[in-house]
Amino acid sequence: GLCKSVGISNETAVGLFCLKKIGEFNKEVPLYIQNSYNLLSPTVDINISEFCMATNINLQAHSPLAFGVLSGKYRNNSLPKDSRRFLYPNYFDRYYNESSKKLVTSLSKVCEFFDLDLVELSYRYLLNNPAVSEIIIGGKNIPQIDKALEYVAKGKLSSEIYDEVFHVLSNFSITAW
């Protein structure tokens, strides 16, 4: 009776199947999967979302800004001194490569056209996925968290913006890393 929920992290559909089996014996305990999910790594859209919706497993999206790459602060090879990438060199390479740089540039053009911030676009894109139950915000300070909450409170993207983002994503592989 002490367990209030059960979850897994960074898993595939096989892990979800095992989680579902656990849930069959404990129907009153909510089930969660916490996976990396962002515009540079939308693989959750392929094999996780449908399974979660069909089995009532909650999907928590972590790393919604791809370790800060989707904040735009690394554009033009910029490396802010207080950034995680500066503090932990090479740790975030999976999100910072030529393909991801091009994708961020393309997404920034969408943002300019629709008068959106890249961070706003990144958070709100995730809200368009009906399987997402929560977005894990990893702000370093209160202003970043406040801004993220403001963007999330706006809700999902309009179909016009979402379709444009989807069009941009379709010109890249399913993962930018």
Side-chain angles (χ1 to χ4, degrees):
L2 296 177
C3 183
K4 302 298 180 203
S5 62
V6 175
I8 56 177
S9 182
N10 301 319
E11 267 296 344
T12 64
V14 174
L16 275 175
F17 179 77
C18 294
L19 182 63
K20 178 186 159 298
K21 286 293 191 190
I22 292 170
E24 290 173 2
F25 299 106
N26 302 291
K27 294 191 185 304
E28 67 283 348
V29 176
L31 303 176
Y32 288 86
I33 182 170
Q34 181 187 95
N35 273 23
S36 178
Y37 181 38
N38 57 61
L39 286 163
L40 296 182
S41 181
T43 54
V44 162
D45 290 333
I46 295 174
N47 59 8
I48 301 292
S49 293
E50 286 183 30
F51 194 100
C52 287
M53 289 188 295
T55 57
N56 294 316
I57 294 175
N58 298 291
L59 170 61
Q60 296 177 322
H62 77 75
S63 196
L65 299 180
F67 300 135
V69 174
L70 287 168
S71 70
K73 65 182 166 189
Y74 301 122
R75 288 185 72 192
N76 302 318
N77 294 317
S78 178
L79 185 60
K81 299 283 187 223
D82 66 339
S83 68
R84 291 181 197 175
R85 187 159 172 72
F86 178 81
L87 297 172
Y88 308 101
N90 303 320
Y91 183 71
F92 306 112
D93 285 349
R94 66 181 178 211
Y95 289 125
Y96 193 70
N97 56 46
E98 289 309 311
S99 181
S100 67
K101 290 176 189 178
K102 290 176 184 172
L103 179 53
V104 168
T105 297
S106 296
L107 291 170
S108 294
K109 290 176 184 173
V110 172
C111 288
E112 289 171 22
F113 184 80
F114 288 104
D115 194 29
L116 292 171
D117 181 274
L118 184 57
V119 173
E120 178 179 355
L121 181 79
S122 299
Y123 284 123
R124 292 180 64 201
Y125 169 82
L126 300 178
L127 295 174
N128 283 70
N129 182 335
V132 172
S133 60
E134 294 98 11
I135 297 173
I136 299 173
I137 297 169
K140 290 190 309 185
N141 54 52
I142 299 297
Q144 284 181 348
I145 294 169
D146 287 343
K147 203 62 162 165
L149 293 173
E150 175 188 324
Y151 292 151
V152 170
K154 290 182 176 183
K156 63 184 186 176
L157 296 171
S158 70
S159 59
E160 180 185 16
I161 298 170
Y162 183 83
D163 289 347
E164 188 59 33
V165 171
F166 189 81
H167 175 73
V168 168
L169 291 176
S170 69
N171 291 318
F172 291 85
S173 66
I174 189 61
T175 176
W177 39 289

